[in-house]
Amino acid sequence: MCLKKGPAKIIERRCISTGSIMNTKSMVRFVVGPDGGAVPDVFCKLPGKGMWVSSKKSSLDRALSKNLFSVVSKKPVLINNNLSKQIEDSILKKLLNLISLARKANQAIAGFEKVKGSLETDRAVLLIQASDGSPREKSRLRPPIGDGTLINCLKMQELGLAFGRESVIHAAIMRGGLHKEITLEALRLGGIREIQGHSSAQKERTIHERQ
């Protein structure tokens, strides 16, 4: 007998920067490392008490500039000068790895014509367009119906890395085991980069998973 899987459990934590209770999927977890410094834990696997911050740039900047980690942990916590960039790079790497895995699983394609075809046949659930691509060219494609189906927080060369190419402007993600994780990581990266065009990047909300 097969049991139907229930909805994913929503885990919430308080943002140390804003004080808001939020879904952890739109936050960044930090722990204090062995050297006493704040360490971003984008995979949420490092040991130690977690300190959570909204993935919005303004929230992260406030937590870093005021060293709220020391306040929360009640002990001095070192802040690396490049920590802000380290956070962005870690989330970027995770997102590109997910897209690469989707490509290897035949759940991701690139190129205008292929992407257009996947959108017209309703096979694509996410449209990814490079933030530095031509606005006129990008306007020729419409994302699937629904909230959070457009991702444009990546640059051409970054998106190209996920497909083993020099650069990619258009890509699409098919329904499968990875599209939900890709959506969430893009939400976090879009918040950090303050990408206005990402339909979910500016909202503090729970992603409604498509079954």
Side-chain angles (χ1 to χ4, degrees):
M1 180 178 177
C2 294
L3 296 177
K4 189 175 179 181
K5 234 181 175 182
K9 182 180 179 181
I10 296 175
I11 301 174
E12 296 181 324
R13 294 289 184 270
R14 185 180 299 277
C15 171
I16 66 171
S17 180
T18 66
S20 301
I21 303 295
M22 300 173 59
N23 187 332
T24 56
K25 292 183 183 297
S26 61
M27 305 177 80
V28 180
R29 181 178 186 262
F30 293 82
V31 296
V32 179
D35 62 350
V39 179
D41 178 24
V42 299
F43 290 96
C44 299
K45 292 182 177 180
L46 294 178
K49 181 182 178 181
M51 295 173 284
W52 296 83
V53 185
S54 163
S55 59
K56 279 191 174 183
K57 186 178 185 301
S58 58
S59 300
L60 286 166
D61 285 348
R62 183 173 185 273
L64 296 177
S65 63
K66 294 184 177 294
N67 196 350
L68 298 178
F69 306 104
S70 293
V71 177
V72 173
S73 60
K74 298 180 180 179
K75 63 181 180 181
V77 177
L78 302 175
I79 301 294
N80 189 303
N81 291 333
N82 297 319
L83 188 55
S84 182
K85 186 71 167 61
Q86 184 183 343
I87 296 166
E88 181 179 339
D89 289 346
S90 296
I91 296 175
L92 171 62
K93 182 179 180 181
K94 185 178 180 182
L95 176 57
L96 294 182
N97 284 341
L98 288 169
I99 296 173
S100 180
L101 286 172
R103 174 179 63 84
K104 293 173 183 176
N106 296 317
Q107 296 174 20
I109 56 174
F112 182 85
E113 292 300 333
K114 288 184 179 180
V115 172
K116 180 181 178 183
S118 70
L119 292 168
E120 290 176 344
T121 55
D122 294 327
R123 290 182 294 120
V125 293
L126 295 174
L127 171 62
I128 307 176
Q129 293 188 306
S131 59
D132 53 347
S134 165
R136 181 176 180 180
E137 184 178 349
K138 290 191 292 183
S139 67
R140 296 168 62 193
L141 295 176
R142 295 293 180 90
I145 296 174
D147 191 22
T149 59
L150 172 64
I151 295 172
N152 61 354
C153 57
L154 295 169
K155 296 179 181 178
M156 289 188 289
Q157 290 187 336
E158 292 171 343
L159 188 53
L161 291 173
F163 288 91
R165 303 181 185 180
E166 185 176 340
S167 64
V168 167
I169 298 177
H170 312 283
I173 305 297
M174 313 303 161
R175 189 180 305 278
L178 294 166
H179 74 271
K180 295 173 185 177
E181 283 190 77
I182 290 171
T183 300
L184 293 168
E185 293 309 319
L187 171 65
R188 291 207 291 177
L189 185 63
I192 289 173
R193 291 185 167 181
E194 296 185 315
I195 303 295
Q196 298 293 335
H198 191 291
S199 58
S200 303
Q202 304 304 317
K203 300 177 183 177
E204 306 279 11
R205 64 173 182 79
T206 300
I207 296 292
H208 295 286
E209 297 183 344
R210 292 183 292 278
Q211 300 300 319

